[in-house]
Amino acid sequence: MTTSQLAYIHSALQVYTYESLTSSPLHSLFSHSHCRGCTDVLCCVIFVIVILGYIVLGTVAWLHGDPRKVVYPTDSYGQFCGQQGTPNANKAILFYFNILQCANPTVLINLQCPTTQLCVSKCPDRFATYIDMQYNYRRNKSYWDYYKLFCKPGFNNPDKVPLNDIFKVNVLFVILQRCFPDFITRNGTLTVANKTSFKDGHGKIRSVVDLRDAANGITSLLDAKEVGVKIFEDYASSWFWILIGLVISMLVSLIFILLLRFTAGVLFWMVIFGVIAAVGYGIWHCYWEYSSLKGKPDSDITISDIGFQTDFRVYLQLSQTWLIFMISLAVIEAIIILVLIFLRNRVRIAIALLKEGSKAIGCIMSTLFYPIITFLLLALCIAYWAVTAVFLASSGDAVYKVMSTLPDCKYTNLTCDPETFSQSNVTKLCPGSQCTFAFYGGESLYHRYIFVLQLCNLLVFLWLVNFTIALGQCTLAGAFASYYWALRKPADIPPCPLASSFGRALRYHTGSLAFGALILSIVQFIRIILEYLDHKLKGAHNAFTRFLLCCLKCCFWCLEHFIKFMNRNAYIMISIYGKNFCASARDAFFLLMRNVMRVAVLDKVTDFLLFLGKLLISGSVGESTFSSVAYSQVPSLNYYWVPLLTVIFGSYMIAHGFFNVYAMCVDTLFLCFLLDLEKNDGSATRPYYMGSSLRAILNKKNKRPEEKKKRRKHKKEQPNKRH
């Protein structure tokens, strides 16, 4: 072959390659600077401004807030229990004088209760009232040494005490850094310190049941503490086996995805034929039951004659019931068979795409570990939101209010100043009243809009979370699109496709991703508000309001899932063509509508196989871990379900993370496949980019360019010339 011939063939191949690339999305994927531009710039600018404002909000909350107000208990004087540098440095536990005043269980949990609260170093372990202490003090002066630990600072005279300071000491123990009654059930009877009754400090005998009702819900917290300790012990004993189980689940998930290229078709058809056989057996069994009941007395009564029955076995004695079952199963069987007959090609395409997705992941293995980046970004968003919310909730100064035991005191719950309260008229008009700490708040403009700032914190948090997820979807879609639009796989796949796709998404399409994330975040924000209103209106008796709220929740739930579906496909189109969000969403929508049956079949086949894989992985790994723990040298566990459920849930989440990448791969390849069918015809300038298996199913072929034919003919003639 002469030099001029080689030059001609080389130039012809260059022309062919350029024409085929520029006519396909691969040219857009390769040539960033020439084909792509920044999309939805306005939304990108707004998104950056919002992030900067979010940082400012977190800074302001950090300057004004104090998380200790949420974490540590506060006494009646607004001082933290256990705070270093204060008289309460060694008193980290909060003690309630009369816990009977805490009738609402949420009062205890929210740290407020209309009774004197003191910081103590330990909870009392004696059951008595101040009257009992005063009586015993007159008999034995040393009796005061124990009880003075639970008196207000400065009170040293046990013979004189204001009416409001009558307190009752229970046998208590600590939970949430607070003293709560130690309820114990003995022989079915509720007791505290082996007693079923006590004096309330006013000369009345009260039942322990009254004390339990005053602290209703606390017993469940106490039980939760005991269960929590046992669960922690089980984790300490079985953590190694749990870790091994999670590592195994990761390896099995990876192997399962790689093997789907060989087993996807077998798994699907095995399950389909299994379902057909199971439904067929059900039809036969229903016919057998119907035939055996047909001649029996009272079996010919209709379902409408007997009406509604709570015992379902009554219906099984009627021949009409089995006839209905048989007809229903026959209809289901017919539908399945008809679907397989008329949609068999679409099912084959779906299975071929599943296999192609496994090949794509095998060529770009780094995509399987991208969920780690998404997880870290989501953890950062959640941590920042939680810290900001805590600092906002703890912003404010101590607010004191009048607390009185008199029911007709008009000053009750009014704001007061503890330093000047003793000189006010309130103590004269309402004897025994006190100015005690109520909560943290303020009257400034910042404090008035704390709730609005919390809502802004929530909305921006949802926006950042959805943007992180959108970034991951667009990045994965770009990587898998570069695989599909490579004519020779894997030779034509660009280097570092995942990193290149991540750079493209951030550089050119931050605004588009933020736009789609904002739409979804607004819908989710409205859903959260509706859930909050539903929670608040649970006790309402207005049936129309409840019905309207239920309809709104249902509509927004459907809207959220539809937007998620459209956003996912819009991000795929953005990664391929680099258009803005609205144009990409429109193109994706009409593309899917033109192939709605293929979409439905692929979606169901993919969901079915991936769900089957998740169950298989989580179940098998969980069972093997449980067997290993049960038959190993691990000490006896309190709850064997702790490592079992942990491994099952962890394995499911790991498989879910891997399979989400696989599902994104299949969705991307599917859209590329539809675009390939619509835009290419198999000619030299517009060849099909789909794999050979898909072309075989559709009877599609790529035509060879004339240059290739000439080159092959020339190669065949070369040996003859040499001879």
Side-chain angles (χ1 to χ4, degrees):
M1 183 180 296
T2 64
T3 306
S4 59
Q5 290 176 324
L6 288 174
Y8 172 77
I9 293 175
H10 180 69
S11 60
L13 288 175
Q14 282 184 331
V15 170
Y16 164 72
T17 304
Y18 176 77
E19 290 179 350
S20 61
L21 283 178
T22 53
S23 64
S24 73
L26 188 63
H27 182 62
S28 176
L29 290 170
F30 280 146
S31 306
H32 305 171
S33 58
H34 299 291
C35 297
R36 288 184 184 259
C38 295
T39 55
D40 296 306
V41 179
L42 179 60
C43 191
C44 179
V45 173
I46 295 174
F47 184 60
V48 173
I49 293 174
V50 168
I51 291 178
L52 295 177
Y54 197 34
I55 295 174
V56 173
L57 175 62
T59 304
V60 173
W62 180 76
L63 293 175
H64 287 82
D66 189 352
R68 295 177 302 173
K69 299 174 184 177
V70 179
V71 178
Y72 296 105
T74 308
D75 63 10
S76 298
Y77 306 98
Q79 298 177 344
F80 299 121
C81 297
Q83 184 181 11
Q84 298 298 322
T86 66
N88 294 331
N90 298 323
K91 300 177 180 179
I93 306 171
L94 188 66
F95 167 62
Y96 299 89
F97 263 41
N98 190 352
I99 203 170
L100 285 173
Q101 299 294 329
C102 310
N104 192 338
T106 59
V107 170
L108 288 177
I109 298 173
N110 291 331
L111 320 184
Q112 300 305 321
C113 188
T115 185
T116 302
Q117 304 170 34
L118 292 178
C119 296
V120 295
S121 57
K122 64 177 181 178
C123 293
D125 56 4
R126 302 180 187 178
F127 195 95
T129 66
Y130 184 83
I131 296 176
D132 294 333
M133 185 278 302
Q134 202 173 38
Y135 173 76
N136 290 311
Y137 171 72
R138 296 190 183 99
R139 299 175 58 185
N140 185 0
K141 300 296 182 182
S142 62
Y143 202 76
W144 168 249
D145 295 337
Y146 178 78
Y147 287 96
K148 68 181 180 182
L149 299 174
F150 309 102
C151 289
K152 296 188 295 184
F155 181 78
N156 296 313
N157 190 352
D159 287 326
K160 296 180 180 180
V161 58
L163 178 64
N164 193 56
D165 281 348
I166 294 177
F167 68 86
K168 173 180 60 63
V169 179
N170 300 319
V171 179
L172 305 171
F173 77 103
V174 182
I175 181 172
L176 301 176
Q177 290 185 274
R178 291 157 185 86
C179 297
F180 288 137
D182 189 9
F183 296 105
I184 299 176
T185 302
R186 300 181 184 277
N187 299 324
T189 303
L190 188 67
T191 63
V192 174
N194 296 325
K195 294 184 178 181
T196 58
S197 61
F198 60 92
K199 298 177 182 179
D200 64 356
H202 296 277
K204 295 182 179 180
I205 303 297
R206 304 286 292 271
S207 172
V208 173
V209 177
D210 297 334
L211 186 63
R212 182 195 61 184
D213 294 339
N216 187 24
I218 302 303
T219 52
S220 61
L221 292 176
L222 305 182
D223 294 338
K225 178 188 176 183
E226 182 181 359
V227 172
V229 171
K230 292 182 178 180
I231 290 176
F232 179 79
E233 293 175 352
D234 292 341
Y235 276 125
S237 301
S238 59
W239 68 269
F240 181 72
W241 297 102
I242 293 174
L243 182 62
I244 291 178
L246 297 180
V247 172
I248 292 175
S249 66
M250 182 179 68
L251 297 177
V252 173
S253 299
L254 178 60
I255 295 173
F256 185 86
I257 290 177
L258 296 179
L259 289 180
L260 272 180
R261 73 171 74 177
F262 309 109
T263 60
V266 176
L267 282 175
F268 178 79
W269 291 115
M270 282 180 60
V271 173
I272 285 297
F273 287 123
V275 170
I276 293 175
V279 175
Y281 172 78
I283 294 173
W284 175 84
H285 181 76
C286 292
Y287 176 77
W288 181 80
E289 292 284 354
Y290 173 76
S291 301
S292 59
L293 289 174
K294 197 171 183 180
K296 292 184 179 180
D298 299 331
S299 64
D300 56 347
I301 300 175
T302 62
I303 296 177
S304 59
D305 292 337
I306 64 173
F308 176 75
Q309 300 291 331
T310 56
D311 189 0
F312 186 75
R313 290 174 296 180
V314 174
Y315 297 103
L316 298 181
Q317 305 301 321
L318 305 178
S319 59
Q320 187 185 47
T321 302
W322 294 103
L323 179 62
I324 294 173
F325 286 164
M326 182 176 64
I327 295 174
S328 301
L329 291 176
V331 171
I332 294 174
E333 186 88 335
I335 291 174
I336 294 175
I337 294 175
L338 289 175
V339 167
L340 291 177
I341 292 175
F342 292 102
L343 300 180
R344 60 185 183 278
N345 282 337
R346 290 182 172 85
V347 173
R348 291 174 62 197
I349 291 173
I351 295 175
L353 283 171
L354 291 173
K355 295 178 180 179
E356 195 70 20
S358 183
K359 293 179 182 178
I361 291 178
C363 294
I364 315 176
M365 290 289 291
S366 57
T367 55
L368 287 173
F369 302 98
Y370 184 83
I372 298 176
I373 299 176
T374 302
F375 172 78
L376 294 177
L377 292 176
L378 289 178
L380 179 62
C381 294
I382 294 172
Y384 188 86
W385 165 78
V387 171
T388 303
V390 169
F391 274 92
L392 283 174
S394 60
S395 297
D397 303 320
V399 176
Y400 298 86
K401 291 194 174 184
V402 177
M403 184 182 68
S404 176
T405 57
L406 300 178
D408 55 348
C409 179
K410 63 180 180 179
Y411 296 101
T412 302
N413 291 329
L414 293 182
T415 305
C416 58
D417 187 353
E419 296 182 358
T420 61
F421 183 75
S422 59
Q423 287 82 29
S424 65
N425 293 329
V426 179
T427 55
K428 299 177 182 178
L429 298 175
C430 300
S433 60
Q434 294 181 347
C435 182
T436 59
F437 168 79
F439 56 87
Y440 287 98
E443 299 297 331
S444 66
L445 184 65
Y446 170 76
H447 295 108
R448 290 177 185 175
Y449 289 95
I450 288 292
F451 181 71
V452 177
L453 294 177
Q454 287 282 24
L455 292 180
C456 294
N457 181 32
L458 176 61
L459 179 59
V460 179
F461 164 71
L462 293 174
W463 195 0
L464 290 174
V465 167
N466 288 317
F467 174 80
T468 302
I469 296 173
L471 177 62
Q473 292 176 344
C474 189
T475 299
L476 292 173
F480 294 126
S482 65
Y483 167 85
Y484 185 92
W485 296 114
L487 190 60
R488 297 174 300 168
K489 303 175 179 60
D492 291 340
I493 299 177
C496 303
L498 184 66
S500 301
S501 179
F502 183 79
R504 284 196 304 270
L506 276 182
R507 180 179 177 183
Y508 298 107
H509 309 304
T510 298
S512 298
L513 301 181
F515 189 18
L518 178 60
I519 297 174
L520 181 59
S521 301
I522 292 174
V523 175
Q524 292 175 338
F525 184 73
I526 296 174
R527 283 198 64 202
I528 293 175
I529 293 177
L530 291 176
E531 291 291 343
Y532 175 77
L533 293 177
D534 183 46
H535 177 73
K536 288 295 183 182
L537 297 176
K538 277 187 180 291
H541 299 287
N542 191 329
F544 177 76
T545 303
R546 295 199 304 270
F547 172 76
L548 180 62
L549 193 60
C550 182
C551 292
L552 288 174
K553 288 170 57 179
C554 180
C555 291
F556 276 95
W557 182 88
C558 296
L559 180 61
E560 179 186 353
H561 283 73
F562 175 76
I563 291 176
K564 284 183 177 179
F565 175 77
M566 287 310 305
N567 282 4
R568 184 184 181 94
N569 291 281
Y571 299 147
I572 295 174
M573 298 298 286
I574 289 173
S575 68
I576 297 174
Y577 287 109
K579 297 181 181 180
N580 61 46
F581 176 80
C582 292
S584 299
R586 180 197 61 216
D587 294 343
F589 177 77
F590 287 112
L591 179 64
L592 294 175
M593 288 300 101
R594 291 193 297 269
N595 301 271
V596 63
M597 289 304 300
R598 286 173 174 168
V599 173
V601 172
L602 177 73
D603 186 59
K604 296 307 175 185
V605 170
T606 304
D607 290 346
F608 171 74
L609 286 181
L610 296 187
F611 178 72
L612 185 67
K614 292 175 187 177
L615 291 183
L616 178 66
I617 292 171
S618 58
S620 59
V621 174
E623 193 278 332
S624 60
T625 303
F626 175 76
S627 301
S628 301
V629 171
Y631 296 103
S632 64
Q633 301 299 322
V634 176
S636 179
L637 300 175
N638 297 300
Y639 307 110
Y640 276 96
W641 53 263
V642 170
L644 177 63
L645 292 184
T646 302
V647 171
I648 290 177
F649 179 76
S651 300
Y652 186 88
M653 294 306 297
I654 290 174
H656 182 72
F658 276 97
F659 291 174
N660 267 352
V661 175
Y662 185 76
M664 194 68 200
C665 176
V666 174
D667 290 345
T668 303
L669 297 182
F670 179 59
L671 284 186
C672 293
F673 167 73
L674 297 180
L675 291 170
D676 196 7
L677 283 178
E678 291 188 355
K679 295 184 178 298
N680 298 319
D681 56 7
S683 62
T685 57
R686 291 190 298 168
Y688 291 116
Y689 289 85
M690 66 185 74
S692 57
S693 59
L694 285 171
R695 291 202 303 269
I697 293 174
L698 298 173
N699 293 322
K700 303 288 185 180
K701 293 182 179 180
N702 280 335
K703 299 177 182 178
R704 297 175 181 175
E706 295 298 324
E707 289 78 12
K708 287 188 175 181
K709 292 182 179 179
K710 291 180 180 179
R711 185 173 61 179
R712 292 189 178 186
K713 183 179 180 181
H714 185 74
K715 285 184 177 179
K716 291 180 180 179
E717 295 174 355
Q718 281 297 108
N720 297 330
K721 291 182 179 180
R722 292 175 182 174
H723 290 293

